[in-house]
Amino acid sequence: MTTPPSSSAASQRIADILAERILAGDLAPGSRIKQDELAAELDTSRIPVRDALRMLEARGLVVMRPNAGARVASLTMRDLEISYEIRERIEPLLLAESMPRLTESDFADLKAVMERNEQVTDIDEAIALGREFHWITYRRHETPLLAQIVERVWDTTQSYRRAYLKLAFASGSRTHDVEHQLLYDAVVRGEIETAQAALVLHIRRTRIGLQRHAQRLGQAAQTATR
């Protein structure tokens, strides 16, 4: 039976609201999502809420268990390690697919975002700009499957990346700015292998940082909304 368009639109709206809350850190990993309360808050029935949760489960943002309800997905340290190993392998491929088709307009956008990111001190703004910076380098891809994998991994690891970036900012580290500059220079010059190497370095350094600060990151991600 086909879902009525109005119901589908309601489910998508709820999914978008929940995804925004999860990615913004308003709902921490492991947080329970109470369907009745959400339906009341959004003035809707449980049906579109349930459908929205299934959409988010498919994106890896929510985990649903029989008789246990829905929770924001949480990752073990091994999950994070695998996620970043996937990034190290997949993102250089996506970058190589996109680079030959990038335009001068893309380079200008990339430089503007990089310069804004160098000045930012707000964690959430830094995360958003970091995603925008990398996505500009990938935007001319013609491989949607790779792009979908990358976006899923970005989404499912964002809470932990936020916790790690908070630690980095607190220590005064701006290493990511240098790495972005290296990547930008290689992209503008059209040096695909150099750009891939700079990207892998960037991703791997974050993975090592996650491993090094595993316990503190777990605590920070869980208490981000308190």
Side-chain angles (χ1 to χ4, degrees):
M1 183 176 177
T2 302
T3 303
S6 58
S7 176
S8 177
S11 299
Q12 187 62 60
R13 179 181 69 88
I14 295 166
D16 290 342
I17 290 171
L18 279 175
E20 183 177 350
R21 292 177 183 179
I22 293 170
L23 294 176
D26 296 329
L27 289 173
S31 298
R32 185 181 175 192
I33 301 173
K34 298 179 181 179
Q35 297 185 40
D36 289 338
E37 291 183 6
L38 187 61
E41 176 194 347
L42 300 178
D43 192 25
T44 187
S45 69
R46 289 189 60 180
I47 294 175
V49 170
R50 186 172 62 247
D51 290 344
L53 291 172
R54 287 173 178 161
M55 292 177 185
L56 295 181
E57 185 177 36
R59 289 178 58 182
L61 292 176
V62 166
V63 175
M64 299 182 70
R65 294 285 184 268
N67 304 317
R71 291 186 180 272
V72 178
S74 59
L75 302 178
T76 65
M77 183 48 57
R78 183 57 180 158
D79 291 332
L80 279 172
E81 290 171 356
I82 292 297
S83 294
Y84 272 80
E85 288 176 9
I86 290 171
R87 287 192 61 187
E88 286 182 31
R89 289 163 173 76
I90 298 295
E91 291 190 43
L93 295 177
L94 192 60
L95 180 63
E97 283 288 324
S98 174
M99 274 184 61
R101 289 180 283 273
L102 290 173
T103 66
E104 292 296 328
S105 177
D106 294 325
F107 298 152
D109 289 345
L110 193 60
K111 185 175 181 61
V113 171
M114 182 178 64
E115 290 176 345
R116 286 168 58 202
N117 202 18
E118 289 172 353
Q119 304 300 320
V120 73
T121 56
D122 178 77
I123 298 297
D124 289 319
E125 187 178 357
I127 289 174
L129 288 171
R131 286 184 67 139
E132 186 177 357
F133 176 85
H134 287 289
W135 193 252
I136 291 171
T137 68
Y138 305 151
R139 65 167 45 155
R140 301 301 177 184
H141 75 86
E142 294 181 354
T143 51
L145 178 59
L146 290 181
Q148 289 168 10
I149 294 171
V150 168
E151 287 189 293
R152 181 186 174 95
V153 174
W154 281 2
D155 286 350
T156 56
T157 60
Q158 182 153 306
S159 292
Y160 302 89
R161 194 161 61 255
R162 175 184 290 103
Y164 173 70
L165 193 59
K166 187 175 182 179
L167 291 177
F169 273 28
S171 68
S173 173
R174 303 288 303 198
T175 307
H176 61 282
D177 292 334
V178 177
E179 293 166 347
H180 283 170
Q181 183 68 58
L182 290 172
L183 179 56
Y184 169 80
D185 290 342
V187 167
V188 170
R189 291 195 301 264
E191 298 173 354
I192 292 178
E193 291 185 2
T194 302
Q196 288 178 309
L199 177 60
V200 169
L201 173 67
H202 180 57
I203 296 170
R204 186 168 299 167
R205 183 187 58 79
T206 303
R207 174 164 63 88
I208 292 170
L210 289 168
Q211 293 169 328
R212 182 178 298 128
H213 301 291
Q215 184 175 359
R216 293 173 68 190
L217 286 170
Q219 293 170 349
Q222 293 294 337
T223 60
T225 63
R226 295 178 189 175

